[in-house]
Amino acid sequence: YKRQALAAARGEKVTIACLTFGERGESAKAWREGKELDEIKGIRREEAEKAAATLGAEVVFFDAGDYPLIGTPELTDRLVALYRRARPDVVLTHPLDDPYNGDHPAAARMALDARVLAQAIGYPAEGEIIGAPPVFFFEPHQPEMCGFRPEVLLDVTEVWDTKRKAMECLAAQRHLWDYYTDLAVRRGVQLRRNAGPNLGLAHKTMAEAYMRPYPQVTEVLD
């Protein structure tokens, strides 16, 4: 959410593809309270809508089910169509490894596959083909177990309050609010350490980390 908040604050369009509401795997409290499946989906949808509105982002719901999240040709077509409509400059998704939640790498695999197919002129989906937007894996809450390395550090101090408000819209994930706040402080320390001296960074810089599955392309400066 931090990268999305930063992009929205700069006037960029942000589209969130929500493949599943997390109605089975991340809604234990609601199940214990005796709520039914459709009611739980409604609760989680409302949380996601509030979080997206806080960020200034558009959210597109696929309602593809979870635990397990299974890819289908229809779901692939819908994702390719979204890529071609949104035409992203940057793609954020889960890492490809997560021993605690198989839905996360499944979503990442779908995001990567649909990105490639959206570039293929011969793939029969709606819209015009896209280029090759860079992809970043955002940090999971068990980074060591997911093989995550902080290869890219992003300063999000200016939009941290928005990020926190968006997280607080997700009542089902309350246990992660403080976790990601503490993590942002640690990544901020690492950002300052790696940014070089005399950059005027705030003493308490808030940051987030990413991995890159593809090489970074840069231009030669004159």
Side-chain angles (χ1 to χ4, degrees):
Y1 280 156
K2 296 184 283 291
R3 173 62 179 85
Q4 290 98 320
L6 190 62
R10 294 175 176 175
E12 301 172 21
K13 182 179 179 181
V14 178
T15 301
I16 301 172
C18 185
L19 296 182
T20 171
F21 297 116
E23 64 269 16
R24 298 187 185 278
E26 297 180 345
S27 303
K29 183 175 182 291
W31 285 106
R32 292 192 184 102
E33 291 173 349
K35 291 181 170 59
E36 299 294 331
L37 178 61
D38 287 344
E39 185 179 7
I40 294 172
K41 283 186 178 183
I43 292 170
R44 297 307 307 277
R45 181 185 183 116
E46 184 177 359
E47 291 180 359
E49 288 174 338
K50 288 181 178 178
T54 300
L55 297 171
E58 173 193 11
V59 59
V60 179
F61 296 103
F62 288 77
D63 193 13
D66 73 324
Y67 270 49
L69 171 62
I70 299 175
T72 64
E74 179 187 12
L75 181 56
T76 298
D77 284 346
R78 292 172 65 192
L79 277 169
V80 171
L82 180 59
Y83 269 106
R84 290 182 175 179
R85 176 175 70 82
R87 312 194 69 78
D89 296 314
V90 174
V91 175
L92 309 181
T93 189
H94 295 272
L96 288 169
D97 292 311
D98 190 337
Y100 296 99
N101 189 334
D103 289 355
H104 292 165
R109 186 75 265 163
M110 292 179 209
L112 295 180
D113 289 347
R115 170 187 171 277
V116 171
L117 293 173
Q119 300 172 54
I121 194 169
Y123 188 82
E126 297 178 9
E128 297 296 323
I129 61 171
I130 66 171
V135 178
F136 296 87
F137 295 152
F138 48 72
E139 185 162 8
H141 75 279
Q142 295 280 0
E144 298 86 356
M145 296 300 296
C146 299
F148 183 88
R149 288 174 51 86
E151 297 173 342
V152 178
L153 295 168
L154 178 67
D155 185 345
V156 294
T157 308
E158 67 181 89
V159 293
W160 174 256
D161 290 343
T162 301
K163 154 67 179 179
R164 176 72 193 209
K165 288 176 183 176
M167 287 196 297
E168 290 176 357
C169 293
L170 305 176
Q173 296 179 323
R174 188 184 185 99
H175 60 290
L176 295 178
W177 298 355
D178 287 342
Y179 173 86
Y180 277 111
T181 298
D182 294 341
L183 180 60
V185 173
R186 294 198 302 275
R187 294 306 185 202
V189 171
Q190 295 169 352
L191 184 148
R192 293 198 307 275
R193 178 64 180 83
N194 288 279
N198 303 319
L199 293 182
L201 295 174
H203 174 68
K204 188 175 181 180
T205 301
M206 307 295 278
E208 59 189 3
Y210 295 94
M211 284 182 65
R212 297 204 62 168
Y214 301 116
Q216 178 174 338
V217 178
T218 59
E219 296 181 1
V220 177
L221 299 178
D222 293 333

